Amino acid sequence: MTKTAETVLEIDLNALQHNFEYIKSKLKANTKTLAVVKAYGYGSDACVIAKHLEKLNVDYFAVAYVDEGVALREAGVKTPILVLHPQIVHFNLLIEHCLEPNLYSERVLKAFIDLTESENQKEYPIHLKFNTGLNRLGFKIEDVDTIDDYLKKTKSIKIASIFSHLVASEDLNEREFSENQINSFNKIIDKFKSKLNYQPIYHMANTSGILNYPNAHFDMVRIGISLYGFGNDQKYTEQLRNVASLKSIISQIYTINKGESVGYNRGFTADKKIITATIPIGHADGIHRSFGKGKGYVTINGSKAPIVGNVCMDMVMVDVTDINCKEGDEVIVFNNQQTIIDLASAIDTIPYEIITAISQRIKRIVK
Ligand SMILES: *Cc1c(COP(=O)(O)O)cnc(C)c1O
């Protein structure tokens, strides 16, 4: 691997494949797989990730918004794409690109039926989301009769899947709550089974649901963060491989004398002579400003270099006093799960936020 000459996010497709296969090894042979590639594939590169998973015969993709689905279609992705949170204003675009909406309330169900009827669509695949405790999006079990009435009156749509979402699948202290959600979902399934003369796909489990609740697998599972290397638990994360590595270089090295300050608002003042390195990556690239003043670090030639002073929009300065390095040397912001987990905990957040924050202006490179 040649050393980097600028800030890049390296995507490791072998790691992705390993993670997908690891998760599949936890499933029954006939359980379908849906890969969640929202938010640019958790900050990596949704099109690259999706194209690779398509080769591995994934059954479905999910994105959050219509534009994300359009980008996948434009990249040539042919697999069905569920749009988890479509906005009515984009329904035309959604249909144009054969994307499949999650219809989560009577308002959006009605709007979608009106549109598909006016376009003479036949059995356009839709997905219905049920709220079993997250209290975010979705119908409730009491709505099944109303939904059924709408469905009986139209041939323009057909249910491809019915799903719900677990609240705390990674938290085993909430096992009882999760089991109650699974029971509620089973009741919803029973109600539909008595009404429908065909069998949609039922699904509920995200990564931790897959790993912790085999009874939540149903017909399909929705694989998100684990594809990218995180199992929300050390014992699972150890089995997974990191997909995205963020690298940069040293632009300039400075000697800071005692009493001199570094960066905006003099966020750091030297109480002894130190050496700093300036790195071309900042809060506009996803390095949260809260990493400033020593909370975050990068790795240079194998040693940790803490961030000095405030994170700038396009740069950070790091302390390399005890590190043998020079301008142009490679800088690792993160390159394995453990660094990402440590960085996340340093600013009291979760790996999901660290990886999805990596700005689109950083070049993605496939390894
Ligand atoms: C984001 C998301 C997922 C993926 O969850 P992970 O914890 O990343 O596996 C699954 N289902 C829904 C509805 C989501 O919004």
Side-chain angles (χ1 to χ4, degrees), residues 36 38 42 84 129 136 165 206-207 222-225 352:
V36 183
K38 63 192 179 192
Y42 285 51
L84 292 164
K129 186 175 204 180
R136 188 173 73 172
H165 196 31
N206 63 336
T207 289
R222 301 189 301 271
I223 320 170
I225 194 90
Y352 292 75

